[in-house]
C-alpha cells in the first residue's frame, strides 16, 4: 500500500513585549528564578489581570502577515487544568473567538515549487511557568518568571505532506515573525515552540487518518526527524495490522524516536469558560488598517525583489534575506558601490558572514564594526583596480579589527595595487632571469608553470601586483622565449 503523510502544525510564538500579558512584570529571559513575578502572574486569589495593549498589537501584526482576518470581537477564556507550573489552575487563552481566523502562508521548497498552507486560526494566550528537574533530587523546582508571558498560538490546516514541507513552513513562519519584530523566535530559549500533528492515509483517499500529536521538539531538525520517524512508525504499524491510536507522543532527540505520553482517552477536558476578569477585545477596522501600515516587507517578497532588482541568483537572495539585518546590509552596501550587485552579495555572504560567525555577533552589531558604506567603498577600490581582491581581504580583516576605513588602511600601508607596466616589467624580467630551469621546463610543455611565475612576481610585490597585467607581461615574454 502506498501511503501519504498529512501534517498540521501548532506553533506557539512568544511575543517579545517588555511586560507580561496581564501584569507589569518583566519578560526578560534568563533572570534568576522567581524574580519577575507578582500576585497576578503567580495566580493569587483576588487579583485583577489587565490586557497588555502591545501584546494585542503584535498579535494583530502577526495575524496580518498570515493573511488572516482580524476579529472585530474576540474574547478570553479559561482553560482549566492542574499542573505545578500553572499556579492559577487555569491558563487564560482564547477558545471560540480567537483574534485571527483563516489565512495562509506561502513558501518556497528546495525543488523550486511554491507551497501554500492554510492557517486555521491564531489565538492569544499566556505562557506557563517552568519546572526544573534537578538531577539527583527527589523533587522539582518551579520558576514562574515565564508565567504570564504573552503567546500567540498559530494553528495550521493539515496541508503539509511531509517533514520537508513542515520544515520550510516553520522556517518561513519564524522569519516572518522575526521580520515583523513580534517575537525573538529563538527555539533554544523557547520563544518559538511547535507541536506536530501527523497522520497517514492511503494515497488518493480523501478522509484523514487518525492523528498523533508530537510534542517536545526543540529544534527545526528535531521537528523534521520526529515527523519522519512518526510517519515510518505509523506505516509499519498499519502494515502489521495494528490500528493507530489517537495520542500525544514525546520526541526523544537523543534516540530520534517518539514515545507515547498519553492517549486521547486520558486527555484533559479543559472545561473552557469565558474569563470573567477581562473584557472582550474589540478592534475596529481603522486600527487594523493602521497596523497594516506598520508591517515591513516580508522575507519572501524581499527575496523575490532582490532577484528581480539586483539580478542575483535565488540562492544568494535566500541567504541574504534569511536575516533582515543582513539583507539591509547588502542593500546599503550596494547603494555605495558602483559594481555588480552579485559581487557585493558574494562579498557579504563570504567575507562579512565569516566575521559575523567568528566574532559571534549579529548582522546588526557587525554594521557597527564595519558600516555598509565602508564595505561599499572597499568594493569600489577592487572595481577600480586600486587593490586586488586578495589584498582587499587583508584590508577587510584590518577594517574589522581597527574599525578604520579602507582608504586609510590602503594609504597607510601602501597597499595600492601596482598596475604600472614599466615597474612590473622589471620584476617579470627579474623573475625570469632567476629561474632559467623553470623556463626550460615551460618550453618543454609544462605550461602550468605560468602560475609559478605569476606567484614569484606576487611574492616580490607582497601581493600588490595587478595579476592581470602580470599575466599579460609574462605571456608575452614567454612567447618570445619559445620563438
Ligand atoms: P485537537 O482538537 O486535537 O487539538 P484540531 O482539530 O484542533 O485537533 O487540530 C489541531 C492540529 O492538528 C491542526 O494543526 C490540524 O491541522 C491538525 N490535524 C487535524 N487533523 C489531522 C490529521 N488527521 N492529520 C494530521 N494533522 C491533523
Ligand atoms: Mg491541539
Ligand atoms: Zn506579574
Amino acid at each position: 500500500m502506498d501511503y501519504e503523510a498529512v501534517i498540521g502544525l501548532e506553533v506557539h510564538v512568544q511575543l517579545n513585549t517588555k511586560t507580561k500579558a496581564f501584569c507589569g512584570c518583566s519578560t526578560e529571559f534568563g533572570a534568576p528564578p522567581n524574580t519577575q513575578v507578582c500576585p497576578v502572574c503567580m495566580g493569587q486569589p483576588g487579583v485583577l489581570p489587565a490586557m497588555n495593549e502591545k501584546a494585542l498589537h503584535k498579535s494583530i501584526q502577526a495575524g496580518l502577515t498570515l493573511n488572516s482576518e482580524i476579529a472585530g470581537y474576540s474574547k478570553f477564556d479559561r482553560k482549566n487544568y492542574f499542573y505545578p507550573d500553572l499556579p492559577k489552575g487555569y491558563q487564560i487563552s482564547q477558545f471560540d473567538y480567537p483574534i485571527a481566523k483563516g489565512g495562509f502562508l506561502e513558501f518556497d521548497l528546495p525543488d523550486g515549487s511554491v507551497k501554500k498552507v492554510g492557517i486555521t486560526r491564531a489565538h492569544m494566550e499566556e505562557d506557563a511557568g517552568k519546572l526544573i528537574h534537578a538531577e539527583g533530587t527527589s523533587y522539582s523546582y518551579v520558576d514562574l518568571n515565564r508565567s504570564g508571558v504573552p503567546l500567540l498560538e498559530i494553528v495550521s490546516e493539515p496541508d503539509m505532506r511531509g517533514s520537508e514541507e513542515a520544515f520550510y513552513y516553520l522556517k518561513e513562519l519564524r522569519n516572518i515573525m522575526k521580520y515583523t519584530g513580534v517575537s525573538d523566535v529563538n527555539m533554544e530559549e523557547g520563544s518559538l515552540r511547535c507541536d506536530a500533528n501527523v497522520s497517514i492515509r492511503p494515497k488518493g483517499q480523501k478522509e484523514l487518518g487518525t492523528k498523533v500529536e508530537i510534542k517536545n521538539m526543540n529544534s527545526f531538525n528535531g521537528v523534521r526527524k520526529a515527523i519522519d520517524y512518526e510517519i515510518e512508525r505509523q506505516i509499519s504499524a498499519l502494515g502489521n495490522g495494528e490500528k493507530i491510536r489517537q495520542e500525544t507522543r514525546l520526541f526523544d532527540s537523543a534516540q530520534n524516536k517518539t514515545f507515547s505520553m498519553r492517549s486521547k482517552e486520558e486527555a484533559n477536558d479543559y472545561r473552557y469558560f469565558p474569563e470573567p476578569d477581562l473584557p472582550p477585545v474589540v478592534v475596529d477596522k481603522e486600527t487594523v488598517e493602521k497596523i497594516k501600515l506598520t508591517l515591513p516587507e516580508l522575507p519572501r517578497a524581499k527575496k523575490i525583489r532582490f532577484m528581480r532588482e539586483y539580478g542575483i541568483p535565488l540562492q544568494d537572495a535566500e541567504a541574504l534575506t534569511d536575516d533582515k539585518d543582513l539583507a539591509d546590509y547588502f542593500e546599503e552596501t550596494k547603494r555605495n558601490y558602483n559594481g555588480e550587485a552579485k559581487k557585493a552579495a558574494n562579498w557579504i555572504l563570504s567575507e562579512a558572514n565569516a566575521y559575523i560567525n567568528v566574532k559571534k555577533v549579529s548582522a546588526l552589531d557587525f554594521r557597527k564594526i564595519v558600516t555598509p558604506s565602508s564595505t561599499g567603498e572597499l568594493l569600489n577600490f577592487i572595481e577600480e583596480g586600486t587593490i586586488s581582491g586578495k589584498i582587499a581581504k587583508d584590508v577587510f580583516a584590518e577594517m574589522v579589527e581597527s574599525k578604520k576605513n579602507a582608504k586609510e588602511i590602503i594609504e597607510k600601508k601602501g597597499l595600492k595595487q601596482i598596475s604600472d607596466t614599466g615597474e612590473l616589467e622589471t620584476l617579470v624580467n627579474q623573475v625570469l632571469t632567476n629561474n632559467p630551469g623553470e623556463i626550460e621546463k615551460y618550453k618543454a610543455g609544462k605550461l602550468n608553470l605560468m602560475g609559478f611565475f605569476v606567484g614569484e612576481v606576487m611574492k616580490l610585490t607582497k601581493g600588490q601586483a595587478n595579476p592581470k597585467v602580470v599575466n599579460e607581461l609574462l605571456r608575452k615574454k614567454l612567447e618570445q622565449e619559445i620563438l
Side-chain angles (χ1 to χ4, degrees), residues 6-10 155-158 197-199 208-209 211 246 264:
V6 174
I7 296 145
L9 297 179
E10 294 166 280
V155 183
S156 87
E157 290 289 300
N197 297 272
V198 181
S199 65
L208 296 173
K211 79 172 159 77
Q246 185 167 343
K264 198 69 186 174

Side-chain angles (χ1 to χ4, degrees), residues 20 23 25 37-38 41:
K20 294 186 181 179
C23 63
C25 292
V37 291
C38 75
C41 56

Side-chain angles (χ1 to χ4, degrees), residues 6-12 66 68 100-107 115-123 152-162 165-170 173 193-198 208 211 213 223 227:
V6 174
I7 296 145
L9 297 179
E10 294 166 280
V11 176
H12 285 89
L66 299 169
S68 303
K101 276 180 294 191
F104 59 88
L105 182 65
E106 257 178 332
F107 51 97
K115 177 77 187 178
K116 185 171 175 176
V117 170
I119 300 294
T120 314
R121 58 185 267 156
H123 61 260
L152 187 70
E153 176 171 343
I154 300 162
V155 183
S156 87
E157 290 289 300
D159 286 348
M160 285 158 273
R161 297 291 170 265
E165 290 183 3
F167 180 88
Y168 285 98
Y169 169 89
L170 272 180
L173 188 66
R193 306 197 289 270
C194 167
D195 300 334
N197 297 272
V198 181
L208 296 173
K211 79 172 159 77
E213 185 175 3
V223 173
I227 292 172

Side-chain angles (χ1 to χ4, degrees), residues 83-372:
Y83 207 65
D85 64 9
L86 188 79
K88 283 206 293 278
Y90 62 85
Q91 176 192 29
I92 301 177
S93 181
Q94 294 191 304
F95 182 55
D96 45 0
Y97 290 89
I99 184 69
K101 276 180 294 191
F104 59 88
L105 182 65
E106 257 178 332
F107 51 97
D108 297 299
L109 291 169
D111 69 0
S113 62
V114 180
K115 177 77 187 178
K116 185 171 175 176
V117 170
I119 300 294
T120 314
R121 58 185 267 156
H123 61 260
M124 299 186 281
E125 57 186 30
E126 58 177 337
D127 214 340
K130 224 187 259 175
L131 291 180
I132 298 150
H133 312 288
E135 221 167 293
T137 56
S138 56
Y139 51 88
S140 294
Y141 296 95
V142 63
D143 175 9
L144 295 178
N145 282 351
R146 199 177 70 179
S147 170
V149 168
L151 296 176
L152 187 70
E153 176 171 343
I154 300 162
V155 183
S156 87
E157 290 289 300
D159 286 348
M160 285 158 273
R161 297 291 170 265
S163 66
E164 184 176 78
E165 290 183 3
F167 180 88
Y168 285 98
Y169 169 89
L170 272 180
K171 201 164 165 252
E172 194 70 22
L173 188 66
R174 177 189 64 184
N175 284 357
I176 289 176
M177 295 304 146
K178 185 128 193 250
Y179 264 60
T180 316
V182 302
S183 171
D184 301 335
V185 290
N186 185 332
M187 249 186 150
E188 276 143 38
E189 291 186 0
S191 53
L192 183 110
R193 306 197 289 270
C194 167
D195 300 334
N197 297 272
V198 181
S199 65
I200 57 167
R201 64 182 170 190
K203 262 210 177 112
Q205 179 184 303
K206 265 238 158 88
E207 306 93 83
L208 296 173
T210 305
K211 79 172 159 77
V212 161
E213 185 175 3
I214 315 168
K215 291 187 179 290
N216 208 30
M217 298 162 294
N218 48 22
S219 71
F220 280 30
N221 277 324
V223 173
R224 206 173 187 154
K225 283 183 185 148
I227 292 172
D228 281 336
Y229 174 83
E230 188 55 29
I231 293 170
E232 284 310 310
R233 188 191 70 81
Q234 292 185 16
I235 291 175
S236 71
L238 288 188
N240 292 336
E242 294 166 30
K243 263 198 170 159
I244 305 297
R245 286 199 316 155
Q246 185 167 343
E247 61 181 350
T248 302
R249 296 177 73 86
L250 289 182
F251 179 61
D252 181 330
S253 58
Q255 295 188 60
N256 274 334
K257 284 181 174 174
T258 64
F259 294 93
S260 183
M261 181 171 99
R262 59 167 182 254
S263 76
K264 198 69 186 174
E265 293 81 62
E266 310 155 35
N268 293 305
D269 173 357
Y270 295 118
R271 313 238 162 188
Y272 280 99
F273 66 83
E275 164 62 65
D277 289 340
L278 286 163
V281 180
V282 177
V283 182
D284 57 39
K285 286 217 166 73
E286 267 169 51
T287 308
V288 174
E289 287 308 313
K290 262 195 215 147
I291 294 178
K292 221 179 236 172
L293 296 176
T294 67
L295 294 178
E297 179 182 33
L298 296 181
R300 188 156 179 272
K302 201 187 273 294
K303 178 170 74 184
I304 292 168
R305 179 172 65 79
F306 273 22
M307 290 194 282
R308 202 189 50 226
E309 192 173 324
Y310 299 113
I312 58 174
L314 172 72
Q315 230 187 347
D316 289 3
E318 204 146 76
L320 288 169
T321 57
D322 214 37
D323 179 349
K324 180 167 176 281
D325 298 321
L326 199 67
D328 289 346
Y329 196 99
F330 162 75
E331 285 203 287
E332 275 185 61
T333 300
K334 178 62 196 87
R335 244 173 263 142
N336 289 285
Y337 170 51
N338 309 318
E340 282 166 41
K342 172 76 179 125
K343 290 183 190 165
N346 286 350
W347 188 272
I348 289 164
L349 289 173
S350 54
E351 304 308 316
N353 241 352
Y355 286 104
I356 287 170
N357 293 332
V358 167
K359 301 249 168 213
K360 292 197 172 74
V361 291
S362 64
L364 195 62
D365 286 333
F366 184 73
R367 67 184 299 142
K368 290 177 206 148
I369 303 174
V370 179
T371 63

